[in-house]
Amino acid sequence: MTSNVAGSEPLLRTASRPFPLPSSRALSQTFQHTPRSFPRQAFTQTPLASEISRDVSEPPFKKQRLEGTTTDYGNAAGGETLRPLTSRNVVDTKSGLPIGSVNVASKADRLEKELHARQTPPLPIRPGQNLRPGGVHQGRALAIERAATRDAVQVKRYVPEPPSSAPRFHKASPADFFPWTGDHPEDVLNELTTKSGSYDKGQVSQNESSTARPSVWSSLKHKSGLQILSSLLVSALDQRQVHGTITATSTFKPPPRVTLTDTKREAWLRDLANPSIPLRRLSRTIPHGIRGKILLDHCLGKDIPTSRALWLAKCVGANEIRAFKRKGAGGVFTVGGEIKWIKDWTTNVEQFLESIVCTCGSTEWRARANYGLHLASHLYSEHLLDQDHYHDWLMTSLQNSDLDNLPIWLQVVQTHRQEIIQHRRRGKRLAEATLDHIQMALLPDNIGVYGSVLQQLLNLLKSIMVSASACFLLPKCWDRYEGVIRWCIDQREEQLYACFERLSRRNKSLQSWPARQSRRPRTSRQNTIALLDGLNDEPNFGKIAAACLRVNDDLDVLVITCLEWSSSIYRHGSVRTYAAARLLRIWNKHGVELQQPILDFLAANPNPKGLRKRDIYRLLAELINSKHLSIGKYLQWLIARGTLHSHGQPGRDGPCDVRLLFELPLHGLPNHVLNLRQTLLATLGASTEEEDRMLTAMKAKVAHQIPDFFSQQEIPPSPVTWNGDYVLLSQTVKSAVARWIRQTFILRLQSRRNSGTSESEDADRQITDLNRKTVDIISLAQLQAVRRILEEIQEFTILADILIMISHEVNSLVLTAATDTINHYFDVFYAIGATNELFQNLYQKFENHNGHGLVQNAFLEALIDLGSRLPDTAREVSRLQKEISAHVSGLSGAACSPISDNMVEAVQAEESTFSDEMEQLLASGTSMDKQTLTRVFSTITSHLEKSGNEPDPSRARFAQLLARLRGFGPKKFDTLVNEWLQKLLRQCTRPNLSTIVPPVICFKVVSLKTVLDIITSLLHLEDDQDHMALLASDTLDLISKVYLGPMPIVEYPMYRMLNQSRRLIRTSPASVVPTLRVVIEACVATDLSTRNWVRTQIKCLPVKALVHSILLQQAETAKDAELMLGSFFLDPDIQNAIGGILYQEDQGDFLQLDLRTKIWRVLDNMSEFNIPLAELELKMIMASTGGSFESTADFLPDMFIEHAYGVESDRIELWACLVSKISLDQAASIRQRAESELLSEAFGDTSSNPANSDAMLNGLISIVEAATFSIPDGGFSPLVEQIADGLTSVLPLSRSGKVRLNEASESNDMYRCLGFLLRMLIVHQSAVQHPRYPQNNLFRLLMSLSLILIHSPLNSHLELNKDVFDVLTLFSDSLSEDTRSRCIQSLRDRHRTRDPRLRFIFGYSETVESEWLQLVMKSSAAAAEIKAEEDLVATAQPYPLRRWEMMQDATPVATENDTSLSLTLFGAKKSVL
């Protein structure tokens, strides 16, 4: 290596001034390998060198360094100090080029050159150059001195750079910048350039010494001048076209593959990874053996840039594809091989991505994942992958991924989301996978860990719903995903929530009938009935009222539904009237109108079916009393309607709208209203005198039933006597009698207060004489009589007012009876709103008189039962329980000893003194052994069994003793009770259960549930059928006591057993079904007396009410009843016994009716209140035919179809529910008849009465939907074929595939019928989606629906258009790939449709890959001579692109036509001529 000590340029003597020689002029290739000619030594710099090299512009510390640094080159002869000479100092003076290393020159020559250089002035500064002060020589000397202090460095090629301050042209090189080369004109200095300088001089031809205007103007000033000029320009353009058009054939060919060693292959791949190495250099050859996943792994491992990796993949792919063509096979085999190779390549890319995902969490995983995703995305965008295979793999990977690897798959899916959701098949899978992962992430164990993943899933879900909501048409699994989507969407996001609501409606409309029936949304009316029935379980009126308002959009329907519920014959209990009145008052407080809906209901239903008219009048009377209904408006309404003139005096069963005039409560009405009512009554031929006589007779009867209660002045004389039932009285008379009783009670209370007798004086007087009754407001007998009268006339509001006044009484027996009454009618008083006040008054009475000894245990126990059923009374109940515990402890005495003394005397005591002796025995100790407990229990139960025919007080005392005995050993006692009941119930001569069991239950000795369980177990084990029938009948009578009207007057709290019965029927109705089954089975008993007695009991109203309550509580209970009773439906006696359960009144002998009449009665009386009952009765009727199809084939289909005309649509939907309860053959016959009728109506003339036709068609479709279970599963349905033919005839097609428009009147009928046909297709979707369904038929059906969808007039019918799209989407999921391709070919090629909805459903792109580029074939020259020019037609055919050959720099040398797609096809021109 040569020395570079100086690092400066030698001086070139040109003319008389030096010029610096750039370092780039040095022959580095020569001098870099020239050996040193002298050793490097230090020498002392001469003053000359110091003076030359000193730079005054340097800072002081640099000056010191330069001055103190010298290099000494000495010789042996003289030892003179010389200036160092390097190999670059020797320059040829002629050529100006360095000539190499030479020996040191002589002293004289060197000094002469140095002095001459010092005397030569520098060149002037060029424009734009800013040299530093000190000149060129000082800079050169400074560089020499700096280089002298460093070690020798390698020679570097000098590259001249333009100065930053040089002026520049726009987007060009710097102006006037020409580095010295020796060949440029500015590099030569001569006399001319020295004097005049260097400047550019334009080359001027001798022929163009001046302007061309004179020579051209002479030609242009003539008329043909412009034509000559244009012809010249056209000639120039033609020549440019001829010489500039590319005519060379394409020289493209992919880079050849060569087998290389591993070292060379790695070197080649490293060069490929280096962006500075051009691809043309690498395209000479590419290594053989790099393909598939190995290629991708190399790209990843060597971090090859994505664009260059894509180039390599194209090179390999192009060679592989061309290899198929070189093998000799052609045609289909070549195309098939190419497709197979592309699929294999796609599989390699998929495996490559999977291997990256599997390394999640490793070192540099993020960088590897980013590279892999970018590379795969570029391969996809360049169409180098099988996109269908790639998308299917993406969906499969997303579905099978766990939550840990889900983010990476979500990132990949987000990249291709738009392409995926463009097709239904893949978009559906994406929606399902997203929802499945959301469900997994919402699990309690995952929601806190995968919060970020859940957020990504939610974002993906919302984006799909906004851009492609049809992907969520998932009718088969919508029930599973609906709740998840509802959770994901906030109601504040109005757009998304509205989209979700639309999707919910569309999915539910596409569901099959069994799926919809399992969770079919109930109507608002059905929801209201369910909420009202819930009052029995949770009497929260505010909550129920708010819920009813939420589920009802039509408030008039809400009011009418509540009115019907309160008076339905299938709902029992007086509580309904007062509960409905309270709810109506709440709704009226919130702005709901009551008057007009009720009047409309009375006008529309003068004789309502399934309703009790007296209950309607009772409810309206309550609303009138509370001023929520106006009698004056009702009277005006009657006058305005003008219906009174067409009616006579109506009876009790007369039209409700007119009969209400006789049922109005008249208390507090002004005189003008009373006069108007009297006038209207006179119009009907009635008068108020009859009401007055009836009221007087009723007062006399009431006064007779309640002795010593009314004064003589209050009892009006009555000329007539009423011996009828209170139920037969009008509501007007009932209200007047009830108010008269309450007014009398108020007068008695005021009389007592005016007498000045205080309660404390009454207490003292009662302590002295407990039998004295003169100070009582009311006696126990009077209270019982008043209660019985008010119970019969259903005036519980008046009864509540009387009980509130009685709560101020001090008689313990009266207080106990009043508390028992409240407990018995707790639901009624709670609906009225009086229970809290009653309890607080009674509790306050207990607090005031607790120390006087007037409070009995019975009163305390009844008060505890009342308080335990009320909210917020825990403190008072606890206080009462402590008081009764203290009382019982006081009776037991202080001695804590076992009961043994005098036990023999107590056990052997006479019947008259047995209760007292046993009471003393139980009070004599606090413990008892098991033997003693058993003996005492046996003694008490034996006396209880003997008292079956004795008065109630004896049985009540025995039951009290058993309750006391239970405290000595509850477990042993319960065992003894169970054994005793089993023994008692098996006895043939046992007493009636209604006399023995109620006291035991009421005193909490045993529960009713335990008694029923024991009876059920005995019914399964007993063999004697007559005995079983009697036992079951007694049990049924015991349970049905809850539906008896008046409260029984007994010596024990009967309400406890009744409350248990109500609770048992509500919570566990299935436990009563076995008993009912045995009772029904007893109808065919051998004993005639038993059979008649059981039949009579079944037909009584309490048992019917019990059956109604059991079957209407829960759907499961009705199913259990059907299963348990179904085997007995075939017996005529059983049919006659339980026939007509839909009717409250007796319908006579059920067997005397013919089959058609029975079925019609069921259909005619069916409503929302009795659906389970109607289903059970129809099943019984069908079972009576033996289940044979022939017996009903003649009339059953006709009955359903004929009665579908003119019947409300909601009634027909109720009928449809009955179809699912009949046999398969019968349902199939009804369905086929309905389908035939529907098709004839759909394609027939319905323009005469389209409204009736629509109602009828809706009813028919409802019947067909209910009979869906009768559709065979063989994969073939003739009806679908008929519908497909009908769809083709609805919109006839022309040869071009365009739909011809019909007349306007016909179009409306066509669209209406089309909607019904679509519903029929949904009903038969199970057959269409069956795997064995013929694909040809499915193709024809889908083509018809597709052409209807693109029918342009259909766009104005948005709902119908949406229905067609939904049905087409539903059936497209069942297409095979071949049928799908056939549909695509027909729609795209034959019908030329590009409708985006069809492209989404069938999954084809807007344009085929080869369609956007067409190759135009012109006619030949011979044909051009024969045909006229206008007749020449150019033909075009698709020109497919070779995606794998669309690459850059494919050849080592660039040519004008080296592209895969030849430029000659486009007539391309050269950019530079």
Side-chain angles (χ1 to χ4, degrees):
M1 183 178 292
T2 59
S3 176
N4 192 16
V5 179
S8 59
E9 299 84 358
L11 297 178
L12 176 63
R13 188 175 299 276
T14 303
S16 60
R17 60 185 64 180
F19 192 82
L21 179 67
S23 60
S24 60
R25 292 289 309 275
L27 296 178
S28 57
Q29 297 296 331
T30 304
F31 288 94
Q32 283 181 357
H33 301 283
T34 304
R36 293 178 185 270
S37 59
F38 50 89
R40 180 179 180 183
Q41 299 178 2
F43 65 94
T44 302
Q45 185 176 354
T46 60
L48 178 61
S50 176
E51 182 179 355
I52 294 174
S53 62
R54 183 175 293 120
D55 188 356
V56 296
S57 65
E58 292 291 335
F61 67 90
K62 290 190 175 183
K63 294 180 180 180
Q64 294 176 3
R65 178 181 179 185
L66 293 174
E67 292 175 356
T69 304
T70 59
T71 304
D72 185 14
Y73 288 90
N75 55 14
E80 297 177 353
T81 301
L82 302 176
R83 182 175 179 268
L85 183 64
T86 64
S87 62
R88 299 181 65 182
N89 296 134
V90 183
V91 182
D92 188 354
T93 58
K94 294 182 180 180
S95 63
L97 297 175
I99 59 176
S101 301
V102 297
N103 295 328
V104 182
S106 62
K107 178 180 179 181
D109 296 336
R110 186 173 68 256
L111 290 178
E112 182 180 0
K113 294 178 181 179
E114 294 290 345
L115 291 176
H116 181 75
R118 290 181 60 192
Q119 295 174 359
T120 303
L123 292 174
I125 299 176
R126 288 188 176 188
Q129 299 289 339
N130 297 323
L131 299 178
R132 293 184 303 170
V136 178
H137 297 287
Q138 292 185 6
R140 187 184 300 111
L142 179 60
I144 293 173
E145 295 300 329
R146 290 178 178 175
T149 61
R150 296 193 297 267
D151 297 335
V153 295
Q154 185 178 3
V155 176
K156 183 178 179 181
R157 182 180 179 87
Y158 175 75
V159 179
E161 296 180 357
S164 59
S165 58
R168 295 176 178 268
F169 295 109
H170 180 63
K171 297 182 180 180
S173 58
D176 199 24
F177 177 73
F178 304 105
W180 192 91
T181 59
D183 298 332
H184 198 272
E186 293 186 5
D187 293 345
V188 179
L189 293 180
N190 50 30
E191 183 177 0
L192 180 62
T193 57
T194 302
K195 293 181 179 180
S196 303
S198 179
Y199 59 93
D200 293 332
K201 184 182 298 184
Q203 297 181 358
V204 180
S205 176
Q206 294 180 358
N207 297 328
E208 296 183 1
S209 57
S210 60
T211 180
R213 181 178 181 277
S215 58
V216 176
W217 179 249
S218 59
S219 300
L220 295 179
K221 66 181 180 179
H222 299 289
K223 293 181 179 181
S224 60
L226 292 178
Q227 184 177 1
I228 295 173
L229 181 60
S230 62
S231 62
L232 292 175
L233 293 176
V234 169
S235 299
L237 293 177
D238 290 340
Q239 292 299 320
R240 180 184 179 185
Q241 178 74 15
V242 171
H243 297 286
T245 302
I246 297 176
T247 57
T249 58
S250 177
T251 59
F252 171 84
K253 65 176 181 178
R257 292 185 292 182
V258 178
T259 303
L260 301 177
T261 61
D262 294 342
T263 304
K264 292 183 178 180
R265 184 177 61 183
E266 292 297 326
W268 189 90
L269 291 173
R270 284 195 299 271
D271 291 342
L272 182 64
N274 186 4
S276 62
I277 298 178
L279 292 176
R280 289 196 182 276
R281 176 181 171 184
L282 300 173
S283 63
R284 294 186 179 94
T285 56
I286 60 175
H288 199 286
I290 301 179
R291 64 169 64 90
K293 188 174 180 296
I294 298 176
L295 184 149
L296 300 172
D297 291 337
H298 279 298
C299 295
L300 175 62
K302 294 177 175 56
D303 195 17
I304 299 175
T306 306
S307 59
R308 300 169 75 88
L310 196 64
W311 178 82
L312 176 60
K314 288 183 177 182
C315 292
V316 174
N319 281 282
E320 292 286 342
I321 292 174
R322 289 196 173 197
F324 288 107
K325 299 178 180 180
R326 290 195 299 267
K327 291 180 180 179
V332 179
F333 297 99
T334 302
V335 176
E338 180 179 348
I339 294 175
K340 182 179 181 301
W341 185 88
I342 293 176
K343 287 186 176 181
D344 294 340
W345 164 252
T346 305
T347 304
N348 292 328
V349 176
E350 295 166 358
Q351 295 174 355
F352 170 69
L353 290 178
E354 288 177 352
S355 63
I356 294 177
V357 174
C358 292
T359 60
C360 178
S362 60
T363 307
E364 298 182 355
W365 175 82
R366 184 181 298 274
R368 291 166 55 86
N370 289 333
Y371 182 87
L373 294 180
H374 281 88
L375 181 57
S377 300
H378 281 80
L379 291 172
Y380 177 87
S381 62
E382 292 285 341
H383 299 278
L384 303 182
L385 300 176
D386 187 341
Q387 295 191 356
D388 291 338
H389 190 280
Y390 186 69
H391 287 152
D392 292 339
W393 168 77
L394 276 182
M395 293 299 97
T396 303
S397 301
L398 182 66
Q399 290 174 338
N400 299 332
S401 174
D402 55 6
L403 294 179
D404 294 329
N405 294 328
L406 189 59
I408 185 65
W409 294 115
L410 287 177
Q411 184 176 358
V412 179
V413 169
Q414 285 284 12
T415 306
H416 308 286
R417 178 176 59 84
Q418 291 298 334
E419 293 83 1
I420 292 175
I421 63 178
Q422 286 178 357
H423 296 165
R424 157 72 181 176
R425 184 170 56 89
R426 295 192 293 264
K428 174 187 174 185
R429 295 184 62 186
L430 177 59
E432 291 177 345
T434 305
L435 292 171
D436 288 336
H437 285 301
I438 290 177
Q439 279 185 328
M440 185 65 64
L442 288 177
L443 295 177
D445 297 338
N446 298 334
I447 192 170
V449 180
Y450 299 100
S452 60
V453 178
L454 180 60
Q455 187 60 42
Q456 295 182 36
L457 290 170
L458 294 181
N459 295 336
L460 178 60
L461 175 71
K462 294 177 181 179
S463 63
I464 298 175
M465 288 188 65
V466 172
S467 56
S469 60
C471 295
F472 289 93
L473 288 178
L474 309 169
K476 292 184 178 180
C477 52
W478 181 253
D479 296 341
R480 181 159 55 96
Y481 293 138
E482 183 180 10
V484 179
I485 303 178
R486 188 181 299 275
W487 181 91
C488 296
I489 297 177
D490 191 352
Q491 293 189 4
R492 292 174 294 184
E493 299 175 321
E494 297 180 358
Q495 181 182 2
L496 282 175
Y497 196 78
C499 180
F500 165 71
E501 292 294 337
R502 290 192 298 269
L503 281 174
S504 180
R505 289 192 298 269
R506 294 167 68 182
N507 277 285
K508 291 177 182 178
S509 65
L510 292 176
Q511 287 180 336
S512 60
W513 174 259
R516 280 186 289 170
Q517 189 68 12
S518 60
R519 59 180 306 274
R520 184 183 182 185
R522 295 182 295 188
T523 62
S524 60
R525 180 178 170 87
Q526 293 174 340
N527 286 325
T528 303
I529 294 173
L531 290 172
L532 294 176
D533 289 337
L535 286 171
N536 295 326
D537 301 325
E538 184 183 2
N540 190 336
F541 290 93
K543 181 178 179 181
I544 297 297
C548 291
L549 289 176
R550 285 195 300 268
V551 300
N552 282 275
D553 297 330
D554 192 345
L555 299 181
D556 292 348
V557 174
L558 173 61
V559 174
I560 294 174
T561 303
C562 184
L563 178 62
E564 293 177 345
W565 175 80
S566 67
S567 57
S568 173
I569 64 175
Y570 307 105
R571 300 298 186 272
H572 305 277
S574 302
V575 64
R576 296 171 297 113
T577 301
Y578 299 94
R582 185 170 181 178
L583 289 173
L584 290 172
R585 294 185 187 112
I586 295 174
W587 294 332
N588 183 257
K589 185 178 180 180
H590 288 80
V592 178
E593 174 66 25
L594 301 182
Q595 184 89 27
Q596 193 60 42
I598 292 176
L599 295 179
D600 293 341
F601 170 77
L602 296 176
N605 300 277
N607 296 289
K609 293 182 180 180
L611 302 182
R612 299 185 187 93
K613 293 183 179 181
R614 63 176 181 270
D615 290 343
I616 296 177
Y617 305 144
R618 173 70 257 168
L619 174 61
L620 298 183
E622 286 294 321
L623 295 176
I624 292 173
N625 290 333
S626 60
K627 307 300 181 182
H628 289 85
L629 285 182
S630 173
I631 295 180
K633 292 183 178 179
Y634 163 70
L635 299 178
Q636 295 174 5
W637 176 74
L638 277 180
I639 297 172
R641 291 182 64 223
T643 57
L644 296 181
H645 297 284
S646 60
H647 289 82
Q649 183 176 355
R652 297 186 183 91
D653 295 331
C656 291
D657 54 344
V658 179
R659 180 61 190 176
L660 181 60
L661 190 61
F662 296 84
E663 306 287 342
L664 297 174
L666 305 179
H667 176 73
L669 291 180
N671 293 329
H672 69 278
V673 176
L674 293 175
N675 295 333
L676 180 59
R677 176 178 179 269
Q678 186 176 1
T679 303
L680 296 178
L681 288 176
T683 304
L684 295 173
S687 64
T688 59
E689 296 178 357
E690 182 66 25
E691 288 182 352
D692 295 337
R693 287 194 297 268
M694 183 63 66
L695 179 59
T696 302
M698 285 303 305
K699 287 183 178 181
K701 182 178 180 179
V702 170
H704 177 72
Q705 292 179 350
I706 311 176
D708 302 331
F709 185 74
F710 300 96
S711 62
Q712 293 298 328
Q713 296 80 8
E714 294 175 341
I715 303 175
S718 176
V720 296
T721 303
W722 173 257
N723 296 322
D725 194 355
Y726 286 103
V727 179
L728 301 179
L729 297 175
S730 66
Q731 189 62 43
T732 303
V733 177
K734 291 179 182 178
S735 299
V737 171
R739 289 184 176 276
W740 177 62
I741 296 174
R742 184 179 64 176
Q743 186 63 28
T744 302
F745 198 93
I746 293 174
L747 293 176
R748 289 173 62 88
L749 182 61
Q750 290 177 352
S751 175
R752 174 178 174 177
R753 291 177 179 176
N754 294 334
S755 64
T757 305
S758 63
E759 293 184 0
S760 60
E761 294 176 357
D762 289 341
D764 295 337
R765 191 175 292 111
Q766 285 193 359
I767 293 172
T768 304
D769 186 4
L770 293 178
N771 295 325
R772 186 171 181 178
K773 307 296 182 181
T774 57
V775 297
D776 294 339
I777 302 176
I778 190 172
S779 64
L780 179 60
Q782 291 173 343
L783 174 61
Q784 292 174 350
V786 169
R787 183 183 64 194
R788 175 60 60 88
I789 294 172
L790 295 178
E791 285 174 343
E792 290 184 359
I793 64 177
Q794 298 289 308
E795 286 289 348
F796 289 98
T797 305
I798 303 298
L799 180 59
D801 294 340
I802 293 176
L803 291 176
I804 291 175
M805 290 184 284
I806 289 177
S807 62
H808 298 286
E809 180 59 67
V810 295
N811 190 338
S812 181
L813 295 177
V814 175
L815 291 178
T816 303
T819 310
D820 290 343
T821 304
I822 300 171
N823 281 308
H824 185 85
Y825 294 108
F826 177 84
D827 295 337
V828 176
F829 292 135
Y830 190 86
I832 295 173
T835 50
N836 288 324
E837 183 180 359
L838 287 169
F839 174 77
Q840 293 299 330
N841 290 344
L842 294 172
Y843 180 77
Q844 189 64 37
K845 181 63 64 176
F846 156 74
E847 291 286 355
N848 295 338
H849 300 280
N850 186 26
H852 298 285
L854 298 178
V855 179
Q856 297 180 356
N857 283 348
F859 172 63
L860 294 178
E861 292 176 354
L863 197 57
I864 290 174
D865 293 338
L866 177 59
S868 61
R869 302 176 68 178
L870 291 173
D872 304 328
T873 57
R875 182 182 61 83
E876 291 84 352
V877 172
S878 177
R879 171 75 174 84
L880 293 171
Q881 289 174 345
K882 291 180 181 179
E883 180 65 24
I884 198 171
S885 299
H887 184 71
V888 172
S889 300
L891 294 176
S892 300
C896 298
S897 59
I899 297 176
S900 59
D901 300 338
N902 301 324
M903 184 183 67
V904 177
E905 291 78 1
V907 171
Q908 297 178 356
E910 296 180 359
E911 193 70 26
S912 59
T913 62
F914 175 77
S915 299
D916 298 334
E917 294 290 341
M918 188 59 65
E919 184 70 28
Q920 295 178 3
L921 176 64
L922 296 178
S924 64
T926 58
S927 63
M928 186 182 299
D929 56 20
K930 295 183 179 180
Q931 292 79 8
T932 305
L933 179 63
T934 304
R935 291 187 59 189
V936 174
F937 178 82
S938 301
T939 304
I940 298 175
T941 53
S942 63
H943 284 76
L944 179 61
E945 294 175 10
K946 295 177 183 179
S947 65
N949 297 325
E950 296 181 5
D952 291 335
S954 61
R955 294 194 297 271
R957 287 196 297 270
F958 295 145
Q960 283 181 325
L961 291 176
L962 289 176
R964 290 281 306 277
L965 184 62
R966 190 177 187 278
F968 292 94
K971 293 184 179 179
K972 178 63 176 177
F973 183 84
D974 293 341
T975 304
L976 293 175
V977 169
N978 291 337
E979 294 175 354
W980 170 66
L981 286 175
Q982 291 179 4
K983 178 182 177 182
L984 176 66
L985 296 175
R986 288 181 178 178
Q987 296 177 3
C988 296
T989 59
R990 58 172 174 76
N992 196 325
L993 293 184
S994 299
T995 60
I996 297 296
V997 175
V1000 178
I1001 294 175
C1002 292
F1003 284 106
K1004 303 179 181 179
V1005 176
V1006 67
S1007 64
L1008 179 61
K1009 182 67 168 57
T1010 304
V1011 175
L1012 283 182
D1013 291 341
I1014 295 174
I1015 293 174
T1016 303
S1017 62
L1018 292 177
L1019 292 178
H1020 289 293
L1021 300 175
E1022 192 67 35
D1023 296 332
D1024 190 354
Q1025 187 175 4
D1026 292 337
H1027 181 259
M1028 288 174 56
L1030 292 175
L1031 177 60
S1033 178
D1034 287 348
T1035 306
L1036 196 61
D1037 181 63
L1038 181 67
I1039 301 173
S1040 61
K1041 283 184 178 296
V1042 69
Y1043 297 102
L1044 294 176
M1047 176 180 174
I1049 301 176
V1050 292
E1051 297 295 330
Y1052 50 87
M1054 188 65 179
Y1055 66 85
R1056 291 179 179 172
M1057 195 196 76
L1058 299 180
N1059 291 337
Q1060 290 188 36
S1061 299
R1062 295 189 187 98
R1063 191 180 307 111
L1064 184 68
I1065 294 172
R1066 287 199 302 262
T1067 59
S1068 181
S1071 60
V1072 189
V1073 174
T1075 304
L1076 184 62
R1077 177 181 181 271
V1078 174
V1079 173
I1080 295 175
E1081 187 179 8
C1083 294
V1084 292
T1086 56
D1087 189 359
L1088 181 61
S1089 60
T1090 303
R1091 185 191 314 170
N1092 295 333
W1093 183 74
V1094 170
R1095 288 181 180 178
T1096 303
Q1097 187 184 27
I1098 288 178
K1099 291 184 178 181
C1100 67
L1101 294 182
V1103 175
K1104 278 192 174 183
L1106 176 63
V1107 174
H1108 290 173
S1109 300
I1110 291 175
L1111 296 180
L1112 296 176
Q1113 289 294 327
Q1114 300 174 359
E1116 292 77 8
T1117 306
K1119 294 179 181 179
D1120 295 340
E1122 290 181 15
L1123 294 175
M1124 300 192 70
L1125 303 177
S1127 59
F1128 302 99
F1129 285 157
L1130 301 179
D1131 191 273
D1133 293 332
I1134 294 179
Q1135 296 175 22
N1136 192 33
I1138 65 175
I1141 59 177
L1142 289 180
Y1143 316 103
Q1144 188 69 11
E1145 64 279 0
D1146 190 5
Q1147 298 291 322
D1149 194 353
F1150 187 74
L1151 293 178
Q1152 300 302 322
L1153 302 176
D1154 62 317
L1155 191 60
R1156 187 185 186 96
T1157 304
K1158 293 178 183 178
I1159 296 177
W1160 169 240
R1161 281 178 36 174
V1162 173
L1163 297 178
D1164 189 48
N1165 290 276
M1166 189 176 181
S1167 67
E1168 290 88 346
F1169 296 98
N1170 61 0
I1171 294 177
L1173 295 175
E1175 292 175 351
L1176 181 61
E1177 186 164 356
L1178 180 64
K1179 186 173 183 179
M1180 182 191 65
I1181 295 172
M1182 291 300 177
S1184 64
T1185 62
S1188 62
F1189 169 70
E1190 292 78 8
S1191 59
T1192 58
D1194 297 335
F1195 67 88
L1196 187 60
D1198 296 336
M1199 178 176 293
F1200 276 90
I1201 303 306
E1202 290 174 0
H1203 289 89
Y1205 294 88
V1207 180
E1208 298 85 355
S1209 58
D1210 54 350
R1211 176 62 62 87
I1212 299 178
E1213 291 182 0
L1214 294 177
W1215 291 0
C1217 298
L1218 299 178
V1219 179
S1220 60
K1221 300 300 178 181
I1222 60 180
S1223 65
L1224 186 64
D1225 295 336
Q1226 293 169 341
S1229 65
I1230 295 175
R1231 177 182 56 81
Q1232 293 172 1
R1233 174 62 188 280
E1235 291 172 350
S1236 175
E1237 193 75 15
L1238 191 146
L1239 290 178
S1240 63
E1241 289 290 336
F1243 299 114
D1245 186 11
T1246 58
S1247 58
S1248 59
N1249 196 350
N1252 293 338
S1253 178
D1254 289 347
M1256 186 271 304
L1257 290 175
N1258 282 320
L1260 292 176
I1261 289 182
S1262 300
I1263 294 175
V1264 172
E1265 289 176 341
T1268 304
F1269 68 95
S1270 64
I1271 298 177
D1273 295 332
F1276 178 77
S1277 177
L1279 181 69
V1280 178
E1281 304 306 316
Q1282 297 177 15
I1283 293 176
D1285 296 337
L1287 292 175
T1288 306
S1289 63
V1290 165
L1291 292 178
L1293 305 178
S1294 64
R1295 294 183 178 180
S1296 60
K1298 301 296 183 180
V1299 180
R1300 295 198 302 265
L1301 301 180
N1302 299 331
E1303 297 294 335
S1305 59
E1306 298 177 355
S1307 298
N1308 294 329
D1309 295 337
M1310 176 187 66
Y1311 296 141
R1312 181 176 55 83
C1313 297
L1314 180 59
F1316 292 111
L1317 294 178
L1318 293 177
R1319 291 183 60 183
M1320 292 297 297
L1321 286 175
I1322 295 175
V1323 171
H1324 287 264
Q1325 62 177 290
S1326 60
V1328 178
Q1329 295 173 344
H1330 197 276
R1332 293 198 300 269
Y1333 188 77
Q1335 290 292 313
N1336 290 332
N1337 298 342
L1338 183 59
F1339 167 77
R1340 190 160 59 92
L1341 175 63
L1342 294 185
M1343 285 297 99
S1344 300
L1345 290 174
S1346 300
L1347 295 177
I1348 291 175
L1349 182 64
I1350 60 177
H1351 182 48
S1352 55
L1354 192 64
N1355 296 330
S1356 59
H1357 298 72
L1358 298 180
E1359 288 298 325
L1360 184 58
N1361 198 312
K1362 176 184 66 63
D1363 293 340
V1364 174
F1365 174 80
D1366 292 346
V1367 173
L1368 187 58
T1369 303
L1370 175 66
F1371 291 150
S1372 67
D1373 296 336
S1374 304
L1375 284 174
S1376 64
E1377 290 300 325
D1378 294 339
T1379 309
R1380 186 184 302 274
S1381 301
R1382 185 181 173 188
C1383 293
I1384 294 173
Q1385 183 179 5
S1386 177
L1387 292 172
R1388 186 179 58 198
D1389 299 339
R1390 179 183 175 186
H1391 299 287
R1392 298 291 180 182
T1393 177
R1394 296 293 184 268
D1395 191 279
R1397 295 168 297 179
L1398 295 180
R1399 290 191 287 107
F1400 169 80
I1401 292 174
F1402 294 102
Y1404 65 94
S1405 58
E1406 183 175 5
T1407 57
V1408 185
E1409 184 179 353
S1410 59
E1411 285 186 354
W1412 72 275
L1413 187 62
Q1414 301 284 334
L1415 180 62
V1416 179
M1417 304 296 292
K1418 296 181 180 179
S1419 301
S1420 61
E1425 295 178 358
I1426 298 174
K1427 296 183 179 180
E1429 184 177 357
E1430 57 272 11
D1431 296 334
L1432 295 178
V1433 179
T1435 59
Q1437 59 183 0
Y1439 189 86
L1441 292 176
R1442 300 174 181 176
R1443 295 286 182 179
W1444 289 93
E1445 297 181 357
M1446 305 293 291
M1447 66 180 72
Q1448 60 179 350
D1449 301 334
T1451 56
V1453 180
T1455 59
E1456 63 180 16
N1457 192 6
D1458 58 354
T1459 59
S1460 173
L1461 185 61
S1462 179
L1463 298 179
T1464 58
L1465 297 175
F1466 304 93
K1469 302 179 179 61
K1470 302 175 183 178
S1471 59
V1472 179
L1473 296 179

